[in-house]
Amino acid sequence: MSQASISGFTFIRNGVELGFPFEASIRSLLPLVDEFVVVVGKSNDDTLARIHAIGSPKIRVIETIWNERMADRGFVYAQQKMMAQFACTGDWAFYLEGDEVVHEAELANIRASVDKHHNNPAVEAFVFDYFHFYGTPDYVANSPAWYRRECRLIRNTIRSYAPDGQYWLITADHKKGRNPQAALANAHIYHYGWVRSNEAMQKKLDQVSKFWSHGSPTIRYSEFDAQVLQPFTGTHPELVKPWLESSAEKSFTIDPNYKLTKREKRHRWLMKLEKAFGLDFSRKHFKLVA
């Protein structure tokens, strides 16, 4: 029996200008996948040239122009994500955002998980544990506000769609969408979006806020609940280390005068309940079945 095929896919626009480690992201997945579809929106920088410069025959580029008037809850991200997924030809489709990287030490675990569950139709997707780095690459954010697990690998032979860039819904018999039935991938996604330079993060928020029907907030890493942060004791993927050296914030300090928002206060109470009763109040877009 032949091994299940896997397609990688992503979308990106102004990746250089906005400080995305998109080159490391794409490169990290290439050893695992049979092809990698990259939807590249018309950019103000050399994002497209850098993707071509990776030089892998597995990469297939689709150029697009974003609808600048699509200001409805990030739906333009769903459009770009699905353009890429619709072009995937593998049995499974692996989605990575431009600030997400896979660790080389865990590629074998992912392959083993796919091989184990490929012939079980009850498994529609694979769930990854997350490291959300915040402020610097030395700390991760861990609270109910930060999704601890998310689907990033989905069966590409079923009806699925993305309401936004983050997750999928499954449709069957033209009924209302539901969360995918999933198994654990036994691997992590390393999320670096919140350690890019403060300047690049502000540019990103300024550009993307119009797609979410709200104004651009001002970002200051120092304005944050310190109780959410935990030291990162693992190792970073090799491919992202040059980006961490050149583009990530090196240090930051929590503002001692920062006042928690109502949302952050609520999350502190939820964290206490989680610790006391072994619960997890973070949002889940999947149902574990294996």
Side-chain angles (χ1 to χ4, degrees):
M1 185 179 295
S2 61
Q3 194 175 49
S5 57
I6 303 175
S7 298
F9 72 99
T10 191
F11 68 91
I12 191 74
R13 185 178 80 152
N14 293 328
V16 178
E17 179 182 331
L18 303 186
F20 281 89
F22 64 94
E23 293 160 284
S25 176
I26 294 170
R27 289 179 184 275
S28 74
L29 200 55
L30 284 176
L32 179 70
V33 300
D34 301 279
E35 64 175 357
F36 201 121
V37 178
V38 187
V39 164
V40 185
K42 186 177 181 180
S43 302
N44 304 320
D45 56 26
D46 62 343
T47 294
L48 180 61
R50 291 198 182 198
I51 291 171
H52 283 306
I54 294 174
S56 172
K58 293 182 179 181
I59 294 177
R60 182 152 42 95
V61 173
I62 300 172
E63 297 182 46
T64 64
I65 297 176
W66 288 27
N67 182 355
E68 300 290 339
R69 297 176 300 280
M70 179 57 72
D72 187 355
R73 294 164 291 174
F75 189 63
V76 70
Y77 294 114
Q79 291 176 326
Q80 301 300 309
K81 177 180 177 180
M82 294 313 297
M83 286 182 196
Q85 185 178 341
F86 287 156
C88 291
T89 62
D91 298 312
W92 295 84
F94 198 138
Y95 170 58
L96 271 187
E97 297 189 351
D99 55 10
E100 297 178 341
V101 181
V102 177
H103 202 297
E104 63 276 2
E106 296 185 331
L107 293 175
N109 289 355
I110 301 169
R111 180 77 253 183
S113 295
V114 172
D115 291 343
K116 178 180 179 181
H117 296 289
H118 176 58
N119 293 317
N120 179 5
V123 175
E124 300 166 329
F126 289 94
V127 170
F128 291 76
D129 294 292
Y130 261 75
F131 288 126
H132 294 287
F133 297 96
Y134 184 90
T136 78
D138 298 324
Y139 290 95
V140 292
N142 186 0
S143 85
W146 299 76
Y147 51 94
R148 297 184 174 108
R149 285 176 168 174
E150 188 57 274
C151 293
R152 278 294 178 263
L153 180 55
I154 194 164
R155 196 179 288 273
N156 202 36
T157 53
I158 60 177
R159 296 170 65 100
S160 65
Y161 71 95
D164 61 22
Q166 182 180 330
Y167 64 98
W168 284 287
L169 293 175
I170 305 297
T171 59
D173 302 323
H174 302 284
K175 295 181 180 179
K176 182 179 178 180
R178 58 168 174 79
N179 290 330
Q181 298 177 165
L184 295 178
N186 297 314
H188 296 81
I189 298 294
Y190 289 65
H191 178 210
Y192 293 100
W194 289 92
V195 297
R196 76 187 87 193
S197 71
N198 207 107
E199 179 184 5
M201 174 57 83
Q202 189 62 57
K203 284 184 179 180
K204 187 234 180 185
L205 293 178
D206 291 343
Q207 284 198 23
V208 307
S209 60
K210 61 185 176 183
F211 299 119
W212 293 86
S213 305
H214 54 61
S216 177
T218 299
I219 176 66
R220 295 184 182 89
Y221 289 143
S222 60
E223 297 179 348
F224 195 75
D225 182 4
Q227 291 191 16
V228 171
L229 296 179
Q230 299 175 351
F232 177 64
T233 59
T235 63
H236 293 279
E238 286 295 323
L239 286 167
V240 82
K241 288 180 179 179
W243 181 88
L244 294 178
E245 283 296 318
S246 66
S247 303
E249 286 287 334
K250 300 300 185 293
S251 63
F252 84 110
T253 303
I254 295 292
D255 183 354
N257 298 316
Y258 175 62
K259 294 183 179 180
L260 298 181
T261 64
K262 290 183 179 179
R263 184 169 181 261
E264 287 172 324
K265 291 177 181 178
R266 180 168 62 86
H267 286 143
R268 275 198 178 185
W269 279 108
L270 292 176
M271 289 166 64
K272 290 179 180 178
L273 291 174
E274 287 180 335
K275 185 175 181 180
F277 299 103
L279 301 172
D280 179 3
F281 290 112
S282 63
R283 190 167 184 180
K284 302 171 187 64
H285 299 109
F286 56 86
K287 177 183 178 183
L288 284 180
V289 296

